[in-house]
Amino acid sequence: MNRRVYGIGSLWEVFLAALKLGLTSFGGPVAHIGYFRNEYVESRQWLTDRAFADLVVLCQFLPGPASSQLGMAIGAKRAGAWGAVAAWIGFTFPSALLMILFAYSASSLNIADAGWLQGLKLAAVAIVAQAVWSMARTLAPDSFRAALALGTACMAILIPHMWGQLLPLIVCAVIGIWMLKPKTDADLTAEPEENMPKISRRFGGSMLVIFFFLLIGLPIVSHWGGGSLIAIVDSIYRAGSLVFGGGHVVLPMLEVELVGKGEPMLTHGQFMAGYGAVQAVPGPLFTFAAYIGAAMQTGPMRMIYAFIALFAIFLPSFLLLIGTLPFWEALKQNRAAQAALKGVNAGIVGILLAALYDPIFVDTVNTTIQFVFVLVFFAMIQLWKRPPWQVVLLAAIAGLLFL
């Protein structure tokens, strides 16, 4: 493992790593996990596959954008709470700025059928497939855990709903406690945390208090005449606080709040134009909030509203993550919790396998030539060990020329 004393240098290091991912991570939250694993586990070796999977589990159970929270969690592991902020800025701002520029654009861009975009989606299929393959070898190495992974994948495919993911993971946790409990303290699999920044329980608890204070207080202030800006922040903060499943779920929620409820803050056409654009940019889909803020206003206030909306939708994720991490680290030292994590980690492989099939493969691979491209991109990553940015670049060029 690559460990060193953290400080300003580590913050800059976290920011640059996240910025690279923010510029190249196409394909949505599940694909982002593949990009993150390649960068943070394979390339930089900041944490092991097991520690990475533990953080994936945590972010899976928290509401909000799972991939952004995963990046923030890794940043916090590397450089404390400020490391989470640096990771968020690096991963988020490329796509946020693109969405703001799109809001400023007067023309309506038709990007849904762009060849280069289809190429990037095919690269994302290969990257996710490689991540599932590699994580399965580490987290489901025996027939029992492989069965847990396959069972979870089947349930997630057959029940295309949040509960199709959460219920199998709960079952995996219970089975893990029953069948996979370490026999001795020496068998515990918690990662050593020497030289790693700590977040105190007091600080974490204060973040959770702020989260609930805003969740309860903003609607009250908005109801009693807080003004249009408070109403926008309330709607967006609430959507970021209560949604499970990432950007594809939060976007319809925002449409209900901003377009179809009371006096519309956006037209349906404005909303759908931004919805289409956010599918084409790298990074988290939650940056759609920056477009919303910019599209609501004109003149110099557009940029201010854009960044307020962006901050409002990610703030609950940050507060929940930083509030939970110190208690999560302590929980992982418990023998029963370790057993549950073994089961859930196998389940996470199944969740990723299900997502690889639907929606990633089903919605992306439409022709034989596209499947051939996926196979080539997978071979580049798995067999020839090419870095993802090379695959992404080749995919964009191939899509532009052949798709």
Side-chain angles (χ1 to χ4, degrees), residues 88 92-93 96 100 228-240 250 254 258 265-266 285-297 301-316:
W88 173 74
T92 303
F93 268 66
I100 293 171
S228 61
L229 182 59
I230 295 297
I232 294 168
V233 171
D234 171 38
S235 295
I236 294 175
Y237 182 89
R238 195 155 14 95
V250 80
L254 287 173
L258 304 173
M265 301 180 190
L266 284 176
L285 294 176
F286 270 49
T287 56
F288 182 63
Y291 166 84
I292 289 174
M296 285 179 178
Q297 293 293 315
M301 292 300 294
R302 299 186 77 175
M303 191 66 72
I304 295 174
Y305 268 65
F307 282 107
I308 288 175
L310 182 69
F311 182 74
I313 202 166
F314 280 100
L315 179 60

Short mmCIF file of all heavy atoms in Angstrom, two decimals, residues 88 92-93 96 100 228-240 250 254 258 265-266 285-297 301-316:
data_model
loop_
_atom_site.label_atom_id
_atom_site.label_comp_id
_atom_site.label_asym_id
_atom_site.label_seq_id
_atom_site.Cartn_x
_atom_site.Cartn_y
_atom_site.Cartn_z
N TRP A 88 -14.10 16.16 -4.25
CA TRP A 88 -15.38 16.61 -4.81
C TRP A 88 -15.16 17.69 -5.86
O TRP A 88 -15.74 17.64 -6.95
CB TRP A 88 -16.30 17.14 -3.71
CG TRP A 88 -17.55 17.75 -4.26
CD1 TRP A 88 -18.61 17.08 -4.80
CD2 TRP A 88 -17.85 19.14 -4.35
NE1 TRP A 88 -19.56 17.98 -5.22
CE2 TRP A 88 -19.14 19.24 -4.96
CE3 TRP A 88 -17.19 20.30 -3.97
CZ2 TRP A 88 -19.74 20.48 -5.19
CZ3 TRP A 88 -17.80 21.53 -4.21
CH2 TRP A 88 -19.05 21.61 -4.81
N THR A 92 -16.11 17.01 -9.77
CA THR A 92 -17.39 17.62 -10.10
C THR A 92 -17.29 18.78 -11.07
O THR A 92 -18.13 18.94 -11.96
CB THR A 92 -18.08 18.09 -8.80
OG1 THR A 92 -18.23 16.97 -7.92
CG2 THR A 92 -19.44 18.70 -9.10
N PHE A 93 -16.28 19.62 -10.92
CA PHE A 93 -16.31 20.90 -11.61
C PHE A 93 -16.15 20.82 -13.13
O PHE A 93 -16.72 21.68 -13.82
CB PHE A 93 -15.29 21.86 -10.99
CG PHE A 93 -15.89 22.69 -9.90
CD1 PHE A 93 -16.33 22.11 -8.73
CD2 PHE A 93 -16.04 24.06 -10.05
CE1 PHE A 93 -16.91 22.86 -7.72
CE2 PHE A 93 -16.61 24.82 -9.05
CZ PHE A 93 -17.06 24.23 -7.89
N ALA A 96 -19.67 20.27 -14.21
CA ALA A 96 -20.49 21.40 -13.78
C ALA A 96 -20.28 22.60 -14.69
O ALA A 96 -21.25 23.27 -15.11
CB ALA A 96 -20.18 21.77 -12.33
N ILE A 100 -23.02 24.49 -17.12
CA ILE A 100 -23.28 25.93 -17.05
C ILE A 100 -23.13 26.55 -18.43
O ILE A 100 -23.96 27.38 -18.86
CB ILE A 100 -22.35 26.60 -16.02
CG1 ILE A 100 -22.69 26.12 -14.60
CG2 ILE A 100 -22.47 28.13 -16.11
CD1 ILE A 100 -21.69 26.55 -13.56
N SER A 228 -37.45 33.10 -3.19
CA SER A 228 -37.29 32.12 -4.26
C SER A 228 -35.98 31.35 -4.14
O SER A 228 -35.93 30.14 -4.42
CB SER A 228 -37.36 32.81 -5.62
OG SER A 228 -36.31 33.77 -5.75
N LEU A 229 -34.91 32.00 -3.71
CA LEU A 229 -33.63 31.31 -3.60
C LEU A 229 -33.69 30.22 -2.55
O LEU A 229 -33.19 29.10 -2.76
CB LEU A 229 -32.52 32.31 -3.29
CG LEU A 229 -31.11 31.72 -3.18
CD1 LEU A 229 -30.72 31.03 -4.49
CD2 LEU A 229 -30.09 32.81 -2.84
N ILE A 230 -34.30 30.51 -1.39
CA ILE A 230 -34.45 29.50 -0.34
C ILE A 230 -35.32 28.35 -0.84
O ILE A 230 -35.04 27.17 -0.55
CB ILE A 230 -35.05 30.12 0.93
CG1 ILE A 230 -34.08 31.14 1.54
CG2 ILE A 230 -35.36 29.03 1.96
CD1 ILE A 230 -32.78 30.54 2.01
N ALA A 231 -36.35 28.65 -1.61
CA ALA A 231 -37.21 27.60 -2.15
C ALA A 231 -36.43 26.68 -3.09
O ALA A 231 -36.62 25.45 -3.07
CB ALA A 231 -38.40 28.23 -2.89
N ILE A 232 -35.58 27.26 -3.91
CA ILE A 232 -34.75 26.46 -4.81
C ILE A 232 -33.79 25.58 -4.02
O ILE A 232 -33.65 24.38 -4.27
CB ILE A 232 -33.98 27.37 -5.78
CG1 ILE A 232 -34.96 28.09 -6.72
CG2 ILE A 232 -32.95 26.58 -6.58
CD1 ILE A 232 -34.32 29.21 -7.50
N VAL A 233 -33.10 26.19 -3.05
CA VAL A 233 -32.15 25.44 -2.23
C VAL A 233 -32.85 24.32 -1.48
O VAL A 233 -32.35 23.18 -1.40
CB VAL A 233 -31.42 26.38 -1.25
CG1 VAL A 233 -30.59 25.58 -0.25
CG2 VAL A 233 -30.53 27.35 -2.01
N ASP A 234 -34.05 24.61 -0.96
CA ASP A 234 -34.81 23.59 -0.23
C ASP A 234 -35.14 22.40 -1.14
O ASP A 234 -34.90 21.24 -0.77
CB ASP A 234 -36.11 24.21 0.30
CG ASP A 234 -37.06 23.18 0.87
OD1 ASP A 234 -36.58 22.22 1.51
OD2 ASP A 234 -38.28 23.32 0.65
N SER A 235 -35.66 22.68 -2.34
CA SER A 235 -36.03 21.60 -3.27
C SER A 235 -34.82 20.76 -3.66
O SER A 235 -34.88 19.52 -3.67
CB SER A 235 -36.69 22.19 -4.52
OG SER A 235 -37.91 22.83 -4.21
N ILE A 236 -33.73 21.43 -3.97
CA ILE A 236 -32.54 20.71 -4.45
C ILE A 236 -31.86 19.97 -3.30
O ILE A 236 -31.43 18.82 -3.45
CB ILE A 236 -31.58 21.69 -5.14
CG1 ILE A 236 -32.24 22.23 -6.42
CG2 ILE A 236 -30.26 21.03 -5.48
CD1 ILE A 236 -31.43 23.30 -7.13
N TYR A 237 -31.76 20.59 -2.13
CA TYR A 237 -31.14 19.93 -0.97
C TYR A 237 -31.94 18.70 -0.58
O TYR A 237 -31.37 17.64 -0.28
CB TYR A 237 -31.06 20.90 0.20
CG TYR A 237 -30.39 20.33 1.44
CD1 TYR A 237 -29.02 20.43 1.63
CD2 TYR A 237 -31.13 19.66 2.42
CE1 TYR A 237 -28.41 19.90 2.75
CE2 TYR A 237 -30.53 19.12 3.54
CZ TYR A 237 -29.16 19.25 3.70
OH TYR A 237 -28.55 18.71 4.81
N ARG A 238 -33.27 18.81 -0.60
CA ARG A 238 -34.12 17.69 -0.23
C ARG A 238 -33.96 16.54 -1.23
O ARG A 238 -33.91 15.36 -0.84
CB ARG A 238 -35.57 18.15 -0.17
CG ARG A 238 -36.50 17.20 0.52
CD ARG A 238 -37.75 17.88 1.12
NE ARG A 238 -37.97 19.21 0.64
CZ ARG A 238 -38.78 19.51 -0.39
NH1 ARG A 238 -39.36 18.54 -1.07
NH2 ARG A 238 -38.98 20.77 -0.73
N ALA A 239 -33.88 16.86 -2.51
CA ALA A 239 -33.67 15.82 -3.52
C ALA A 239 -32.33 15.11 -3.30
O ALA A 239 -32.24 13.88 -3.38
CB ALA A 239 -33.72 16.42 -4.92
N GLY A 240 -31.28 15.86 -2.99
CA GLY A 240 -29.98 15.26 -2.74
C GLY A 240 -29.92 14.47 -1.46
O GLY A 240 -29.06 13.60 -1.30
N VAL A 250 -32.48 11.00 -9.26
CA VAL A 250 -32.69 12.36 -8.76
C VAL A 250 -33.21 13.29 -9.85
O VAL A 250 -33.93 14.24 -9.57
CB VAL A 250 -31.39 12.93 -8.15
CG1 VAL A 250 -30.42 13.42 -9.22
CG2 VAL A 250 -31.70 14.06 -7.17
N LEU A 254 -36.21 15.95 -9.36
CA LEU A 254 -36.05 17.39 -9.56
C LEU A 254 -37.10 17.92 -10.53
O LEU A 254 -37.58 19.05 -10.37
CB LEU A 254 -34.65 17.69 -10.07
CG LEU A 254 -33.51 17.57 -9.06
CD1 LEU A 254 -32.16 17.75 -9.75
CD2 LEU A 254 -33.67 18.61 -7.95
N LEU A 258 -39.34 21.06 -9.60
CA LEU A 258 -39.06 22.33 -10.27
C LEU A 258 -39.95 22.62 -11.47
O LEU A 258 -40.10 23.77 -11.85
CB LEU A 258 -37.60 22.37 -10.71
CG LEU A 258 -36.57 22.14 -9.60
CD1 LEU A 258 -35.17 22.04 -10.18
CD2 LEU A 258 -36.63 23.25 -8.56
N MET A 265 -40.40 26.51 -11.92
CA MET A 265 -39.17 27.28 -11.93
C MET A 265 -38.43 27.12 -13.26
O MET A 265 -37.56 27.93 -13.59
CB MET A 265 -38.27 26.84 -10.77
CG MET A 265 -38.90 27.00 -9.40
SD MET A 265 -37.80 26.46 -8.06
CE MET A 265 -38.92 26.48 -6.66
N LEU A 266 -38.73 26.01 -13.99
CA LEU A 266 -38.18 25.75 -15.31
C LEU A 266 -39.30 25.26 -16.21
O LEU A 266 -40.27 24.65 -15.74
CB LEU A 266 -37.10 24.66 -15.24
CG LEU A 266 -35.71 24.98 -14.70
CD1 LEU A 266 -34.90 23.70 -14.65
CD2 LEU A 266 -35.01 26.01 -15.54
N LEU A 285 -23.88 12.83 -12.62
CA LEU A 285 -25.10 13.38 -13.18
C LEU A 285 -25.70 14.47 -12.28
O LEU A 285 -26.50 15.28 -12.75
CB LEU A 285 -26.12 12.27 -13.38
CG LEU A 285 -25.77 11.20 -14.41
CD1 LEU A 285 -26.84 10.11 -14.43
CD2 LEU A 285 -25.65 11.81 -15.80
N PHE A 286 -25.32 14.49 -11.01
CA PHE A 286 -25.84 15.51 -10.10
C PHE A 286 -25.43 16.93 -10.52
O PHE A 286 -25.99 17.90 -10.04
CB PHE A 286 -25.36 15.24 -8.67
CG PHE A 286 -26.29 14.37 -7.87
CD1 PHE A 286 -26.77 13.18 -8.40
CD2 PHE A 286 -26.66 14.72 -6.58
CE1 PHE A 286 -27.61 12.37 -7.67
CE2 PHE A 286 -27.51 13.92 -5.84
CZ PHE A 286 -28.00 12.73 -6.38
N THR A 287 -24.44 17.06 -11.41
CA THR A 287 -24.07 18.40 -11.87
C THR A 287 -25.16 19.02 -12.72
O THR A 287 -25.07 20.19 -13.11
CB THR A 287 -22.75 18.37 -12.65
OG1 THR A 287 -22.86 17.45 -13.74
CG2 THR A 287 -21.60 17.97 -11.76
N PHE A 288 -26.21 18.26 -13.01
CA PHE A 288 -27.41 18.82 -13.64
C PHE A 288 -27.93 20.00 -12.83
O PHE A 288 -28.55 20.92 -13.38
CB PHE A 288 -28.46 17.72 -13.74
CG PHE A 288 -29.74 18.15 -14.40
CD1 PHE A 288 -29.75 18.55 -15.72
CD2 PHE A 288 -30.93 18.13 -13.70
CE1 PHE A 288 -30.93 18.94 -16.35
CE2 PHE A 288 -32.12 18.50 -14.31
CZ PHE A 288 -32.11 18.90 -15.65
N ALA A 289 -27.68 19.99 -11.52
CA ALA A 289 -28.14 21.09 -10.66
C ALA A 289 -27.50 22.42 -11.07
O ALA A 289 -28.13 23.48 -10.96
CB ALA A 289 -27.82 20.80 -9.20
N ALA A 290 -26.25 22.39 -11.54
CA ALA A 290 -25.61 23.62 -12.00
C ALA A 290 -26.35 24.19 -13.21
O ALA A 290 -26.53 25.41 -13.32
CB ALA A 290 -24.14 23.36 -12.33
N TYR A 291 -26.76 23.32 -14.10
CA TYR A 291 -27.56 23.76 -15.25
C TYR A 291 -28.88 24.38 -14.78
O TYR A 291 -29.31 25.42 -15.29
CB TYR A 291 -27.83 22.58 -16.18
CG TYR A 291 -28.91 22.84 -17.20
CD1 TYR A 291 -28.61 23.49 -18.40
CD2 TYR A 291 -30.23 22.45 -16.97
CE1 TYR A 291 -29.61 23.75 -19.33
CE2 TYR A 291 -31.22 22.70 -17.89
CZ TYR A 291 -30.91 23.36 -19.07
OH TYR A 291 -31.89 23.61 -19.99
N ILE A 292 -29.53 23.73 -13.82
CA ILE A 292 -30.81 24.24 -13.31
C ILE A 292 -30.65 25.66 -12.78
O ILE A 292 -31.44 26.56 -13.11
CB ILE A 292 -31.35 23.31 -12.20
CG1 ILE A 292 -31.82 21.99 -12.81
CG2 ILE A 292 -32.46 23.97 -11.41
CD1 ILE A 292 -32.23 20.96 -11.78
N GLY A 293 -29.63 25.87 -11.94
CA GLY A 293 -29.42 27.20 -11.38
C GLY A 293 -29.16 28.24 -12.45
O GLY A 293 -29.71 29.36 -12.39
N ALA A 294 -28.36 27.89 -13.46
CA ALA A 294 -28.05 28.85 -14.52
C ALA A 294 -29.25 29.10 -15.42
O ALA A 294 -29.45 30.21 -15.92
CB ALA A 294 -26.87 28.35 -15.34
N ALA A 295 -30.07 28.06 -15.67
CA ALA A 295 -31.21 28.20 -16.57
C ALA A 295 -32.34 29.00 -15.94
O ALA A 295 -33.19 29.54 -16.66
CB ALA A 295 -31.72 26.82 -16.98
N MET A 296 -32.37 29.09 -14.63
CA MET A 296 -33.45 29.81 -13.95
C MET A 296 -33.29 31.32 -14.01
O MET A 296 -34.26 32.06 -13.81
CB MET A 296 -33.50 29.40 -12.47
CG MET A 296 -34.09 28.04 -12.21
SD MET A 296 -34.04 27.68 -10.45
CE MET A 296 -34.84 26.08 -10.44
N GLN A 297 -32.08 31.79 -14.26
CA GLN A 297 -31.79 33.21 -14.14
C GLN A 297 -31.24 33.76 -15.45
O GLN A 297 -30.87 33.01 -16.36
CB GLN A 297 -30.78 33.45 -13.01
CG GLN A 297 -31.31 33.13 -11.62
CD GLN A 297 -32.40 34.09 -11.19
OE1 GLN A 297 -32.30 35.30 -11.37
NE2 GLN A 297 -33.47 33.54 -10.63
N MET A 301 -26.62 37.07 -12.28
CA MET A 301 -27.04 36.14 -11.23
C MET A 301 -27.01 34.69 -11.67
O MET A 301 -27.11 33.78 -10.85
CB MET A 301 -28.45 36.49 -10.75
CG MET A 301 -28.55 37.81 -10.00
SD MET A 301 -27.51 37.81 -8.51
CE MET A 301 -28.35 36.58 -7.52
N ARG A 302 -26.88 34.45 -12.97
CA ARG A 302 -26.92 33.07 -13.46
C ARG A 302 -25.81 32.23 -12.85
O ARG A 302 -26.04 31.11 -12.39
CB ARG A 302 -26.81 33.05 -14.99
CG ARG A 302 -27.92 33.76 -15.71
CD ARG A 302 -27.84 33.58 -17.21
NE ARG A 302 -28.30 32.26 -17.62
CZ ARG A 302 -28.41 31.88 -18.88
NH1 ARG A 302 -28.05 32.70 -19.85
NH2 ARG A 302 -28.85 30.68 -19.19
N MET A 303 -24.59 32.74 -12.87
CA MET A 303 -23.47 31.98 -12.34
C MET A 303 -23.62 31.76 -10.84
O MET A 303 -23.30 30.67 -10.33
CB MET A 303 -22.16 32.71 -12.64
CG MET A 303 -20.91 31.90 -12.37
SD MET A 303 -20.72 30.46 -13.47
CE MET A 303 -20.30 31.27 -15.02
N ILE A 304 -24.11 32.77 -10.13
CA ILE A 304 -24.29 32.63 -8.68
C ILE A 304 -25.31 31.54 -8.37
O ILE A 304 -25.08 30.66 -7.53
CB ILE A 304 -24.72 33.98 -8.07
CG1 ILE A 304 -23.60 35.01 -8.24
CG2 ILE A 304 -25.09 33.81 -6.60
CD1 ILE A 304 -23.97 36.40 -7.80
N TYR A 305 -26.45 31.57 -9.07
CA TYR A 305 -27.48 30.56 -8.85
C TYR A 305 -26.97 29.17 -9.23
O TYR A 305 -27.32 28.17 -8.58
CB TYR A 305 -28.73 30.90 -9.66
CG TYR A 305 -29.74 31.73 -8.90
CD1 TYR A 305 -29.45 33.02 -8.49
CD2 TYR A 305 -31.00 31.23 -8.60
CE1 TYR A 305 -30.37 33.79 -7.81
CE2 TYR A 305 -31.93 31.99 -7.90
CZ TYR A 305 -31.61 33.27 -7.51
OH TYR A 305 -32.53 34.02 -6.82
N ALA A 306 -26.16 29.10 -10.28
CA ALA A 306 -25.63 27.81 -10.72
C ALA A 306 -24.80 27.17 -9.63
O ALA A 306 -24.97 25.97 -9.31
CB ALA A 306 -24.80 27.99 -11.99
N PHE A 307 -23.91 27.93 -9.00
CA PHE A 307 -23.04 27.35 -7.98
C PHE A 307 -23.78 27.11 -6.68
O PHE A 307 -23.46 26.17 -5.94
CB PHE A 307 -21.81 28.23 -7.78
CG PHE A 307 -20.77 28.06 -8.85
CD1 PHE A 307 -20.57 29.03 -9.81
CD2 PHE A 307 -20.02 26.90 -8.93
CE1 PHE A 307 -19.63 28.87 -10.82
CE2 PHE A 307 -19.07 26.72 -9.93
CZ PHE A 307 -18.88 27.71 -10.87
N ILE A 308 -24.79 27.93 -6.38
CA ILE A 308 -25.60 27.68 -5.19
C ILE A 308 -26.35 26.36 -5.35
O ILE A 308 -26.40 25.52 -4.44
CB ILE A 308 -26.57 28.84 -4.94
CG1 ILE A 308 -25.81 30.07 -4.44
CG2 ILE A 308 -27.64 28.44 -3.92
CD1 ILE A 308 -26.67 31.30 -4.27
N ALA A 309 -26.95 26.14 -6.53
CA ALA A 309 -27.69 24.89 -6.78
C ALA A 309 -26.75 23.69 -6.75
O ALA A 309 -27.09 22.63 -6.20
CB ALA A 309 -28.41 24.98 -8.13
N LEU A 310 -25.56 23.84 -7.33
CA LEU A 310 -24.58 22.76 -7.33
C LEU A 310 -24.18 22.41 -5.90
O LEU A 310 -24.13 21.22 -5.52
CB LEU A 310 -23.35 23.18 -8.14
CG LEU A 310 -22.24 22.14 -8.28
CD1 LEU A 310 -22.69 20.99 -9.17
CD2 LEU A 310 -20.97 22.79 -8.84
N PHE A 311 -23.90 23.42 -5.10
CA PHE A 311 -23.50 23.20 -3.71
C PHE A 311 -24.64 22.55 -2.93
O PHE A 311 -24.42 21.64 -2.13
CB PHE A 311 -23.11 24.54 -3.09
CG PHE A 311 -22.64 24.44 -1.67
CD1 PHE A 311 -21.40 23.93 -1.37
CD2 PHE A 311 -23.45 24.87 -0.62
CE1 PHE A 311 -20.96 23.83 -0.06
CE2 PHE A 311 -23.01 24.79 0.69
CZ PHE A 311 -21.76 24.26 0.97
N ALA A 312 -25.88 22.99 -3.18
CA ALA A 312 -27.02 22.49 -2.42
C ALA A 312 -27.28 21.01 -2.66
O ALA A 312 -27.66 20.28 -1.74
CB ALA A 312 -28.28 23.30 -2.77
N ILE A 313 -27.07 20.53 -3.89
CA ILE A 313 -27.40 19.13 -4.15
C ILE A 313 -26.32 18.18 -3.64
O ILE A 313 -26.60 17.02 -3.31
CB ILE A 313 -27.65 18.91 -5.67
CG1 ILE A 313 -28.49 17.65 -5.87
CG2 ILE A 313 -26.33 18.81 -6.45
CD1 ILE A 313 -29.08 17.51 -7.24
N PHE A 314 -25.07 18.65 -3.54
CA PHE A 314 -24.00 17.79 -3.04
C PHE A 314 -23.77 17.93 -1.53
O PHE A 314 -23.15 17.05 -0.94
CB PHE A 314 -22.69 18.11 -3.77
CG PHE A 314 -22.58 17.48 -5.13
CD1 PHE A 314 -22.82 18.22 -6.27
CD2 PHE A 314 -22.24 16.14 -5.28
CE1 PHE A 314 -22.73 17.65 -7.53
CE2 PHE A 314 -22.13 15.56 -6.53
CZ PHE A 314 -22.38 16.32 -7.66
N LEU A 315 -24.24 19.01 -0.93
CA LEU A 315 -23.99 19.23 0.50
C LEU A 315 -24.50 18.08 1.36
O LEU A 315 -23.78 17.62 2.27
CB LEU A 315 -24.59 20.56 0.94
CG LEU A 315 -24.42 20.90 2.42
CD1 LEU A 315 -22.95 20.98 2.80
CD2 LEU A 315 -25.14 22.21 2.76
N PRO A 316 -25.74 17.57 1.15
CA PRO A 316 -26.17 16.46 2.00
C PRO A 316 -25.29 15.23 1.89
O PRO A 316 -25.04 14.55 2.89
CB PRO A 316 -27.60 16.16 1.51
CG PRO A 316 -27.85 17.03 0.36
CD PRO A 316 -26.76 18.03 0.24
#
